[in-house]
């Protein structure tokens, strides 16, 4: 029994540690989205997560560690949600293309993008932050591109298709930026409808 | 002569005042692009412009006044440059469409957009700043749209054309955001080429 007790005591401890880490990551993203990089420190996040500052520093040594891990964590969750959501897409044609474009635009108009945007903009001026944010952004961008290609059924061996899919992601990012300041849902809906029509015919045309 | 002297003394004084204002506005944009909203205060800008803090405050009562005026000033200059540049565009067809798209994308990858982006992102969280940045962004956005329509020779009475032009501006904005972190010129060039081809055929098609 002397052997069993430490094990049963250890497992809940690991669970608690994982739960704490998760609370910190989620609080960090919310903090970044609401207060920007300037207002986002490990101390502020720890308080928001209801975790002691010492415990927070045990998980994340620096502010940069915490916030890049936070965006990465939420991006992973978001990619998993996209994959899940993809099962409910229409089978083919313009309806499917439009549903995919709506899904991608949805990504760039949510809280994750808002938080990421603060991190991106801060990273442009902060030497400490920049290389990891560049690496993170590349990784998320590549994965978003890969999913877009898969969901759209795009054949990237056809000249121009790769660039058209990338343009779609850039357009979604631009719409997200506009949404940061005001809710322009009607404008966005009209653009998504028109873009989807054009994209669909660009993807279906013979090379 | 007693009447003439104050006049000749007054005019250079107005010129000096205008020159000071201009120096402050240009220093403000540079400061915002390099140091972000957090590092941008009236004092920092005054020092950079070589103007006393008192003189700076004579021109701009608050930090919000200074930075929105700065973006507005540079945006006006930029619009004037676009109009100038438009005279050198190819006459028609895909070459003209591509030159216009390149011009628009160029706008969103320069120092003005970088500075504006800091202001937009800060405004998302700052109650004092937000309404004026929203108003400013609308005005610049409308003017950019109007110029794009004019340069592209787009007929907005044809259904979908208005949205396609807007989507082009959003795509340019999204490309600008990606450029904030790394110079991805080859990727951008390929996207611009492909999108120009698609846009041109979308604009020329019969409604």
């Amino acid at each position: 029994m002397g052997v069993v007790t430490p094990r049963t005591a250890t497992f809940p401890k690991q669970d608690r540690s994982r739960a704490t880490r998760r609370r910190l990551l989620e609080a960090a993203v919310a903090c970044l989205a609401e207060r920007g990089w300037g207002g986002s420190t490990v101390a502020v996040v720890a308080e928001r997560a209801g975790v002691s500052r010492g415990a927070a520093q045990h998980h994340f040594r620096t502010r940069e560690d915490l916030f890049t891990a936070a965006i990465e964590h939420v991006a992973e969750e978001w990619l998993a949600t996209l994959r899940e959501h993809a099962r409910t897409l229409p089978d083919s044609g313009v309806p499917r293309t439009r549903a995919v474009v709506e899904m991608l635009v949805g990504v760039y108009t949510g809280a994750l993008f808002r938080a990421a945007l603060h991190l991106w903009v801060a990273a442009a001026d902060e030497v400490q932050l920049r290389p990891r944010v560049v690496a993170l952004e590349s990784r998320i961008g590549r994965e978003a591109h890969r999913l877009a290609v898969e969901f759209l059924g795009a054949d990237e061996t056809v000249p121009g298709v790769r660039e058209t899919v990338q343009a779609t992601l850039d357009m979604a990012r631009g719409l997200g930026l506009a949404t940061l300041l005001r809710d322009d849902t009607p404008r966005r809906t009209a653009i998504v409808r028109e873009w989807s029509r054009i994209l669909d015919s660009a993807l279906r045309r013979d090379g």
Side-chain angles (χ1 to χ4, degrees), chain A:
Chain A
M1 287 294 280
V3 181
V4 173
T5 314
R7 282 175 56 97
T8 54
T10 304
F11 273 21
K13 199 176 157 195
Q14 285 181 350
D15 285 349
R16 273 204 307 281
S17 176
R18 259 200 296 272
T20 301
R21 189 184 147 87
R22 195 190 177 89
R23 276 218 308 285
L24 285 167
L25 294 173
E26 283 165 3
V29 168
C31 186
L32 206 48
E34 282 170 27
R35 307 173 58 157
W37 176 249
S40 296
T41 61
V42 176
V44 167
V45 171
E47 200 190 325
R48 182 176 192 134
V51 170
S52 76
R53 200 165 160 174
Q57 256 150 0
H58 167 75
H59 283 278
F60 302 100
R61 231 168 29 83
T62 68
R63 189 182 178 205
E64 288 78 15
D65 283 346
L66 170 59
F67 289 95
T68 47
I71 296 292
E72 186 157 23
H73 166 76
V74 183
E76 292 297 343
E77 294 219 322
W78 156 68
L79 292 168
T81 312
L82 278 195
R83 279 185 211 100
E84 197 57 41
H85 185 74
R87 299 187 197 178
T88 67
L89 290 172
D91 276 350
S92 62
V94 178
R96 182 177 175 96
T97 302
R98 181 161 168 189
V100 174
V101 175
E102 272 169 6
M103 195 167 87
L104 296 172
V105 169
V107 164
Y108 289 99
T109 48
L112 167 62
F113 179 69
R114 199 182 180 87
L117 194 54
H118 279 290
L119 197 67
W120 284 192
V121 168
D125 310 314
E126 306 240 352
V127 178
Q128 293 263 310
L129 199 55
R130 191 179 174 116
R132 16 173 98 200
V133 171
V134 169
L136 179 58
E137 197 267 342
S138 296
R139 215 162 70 73
I140 299 176
R142 268 198 310 275
E143 185 62 13
H145 181 90
R146 214 188 53 71
L147 285 180
V149 166
E150 181 188 325
F151 297 160
L152 290 167
D155 178 0
E156 291 203 305
T157 62
V158 176
V161 163
R162 182 174 174 77
E163 289 73 22
T164 309
V165 173
Q166 285 187 330
T168 302
L169 287 164
D170 281 303
M171 191 242 4
R173 204 189 279 138
L175 282 174
L177 192 53
T179 305
L180 183 72
L181 285 179
R182 51 199 162 120
D183 178 21
D184 56 354
T185 308
R187 183 182 95 95
R188 206 164 58 231
T189 306
I191 293 176
V192 165
R193 189 176 52 229
E194 194 54 27
W195 185 283
S196 303
R197 213 187 45 69
I198 293 175
L199 173 63
D200 193 73
S201 88
L203 294 179
R204 303 306 151 221
R205 82 189 148 89
D206 295 305

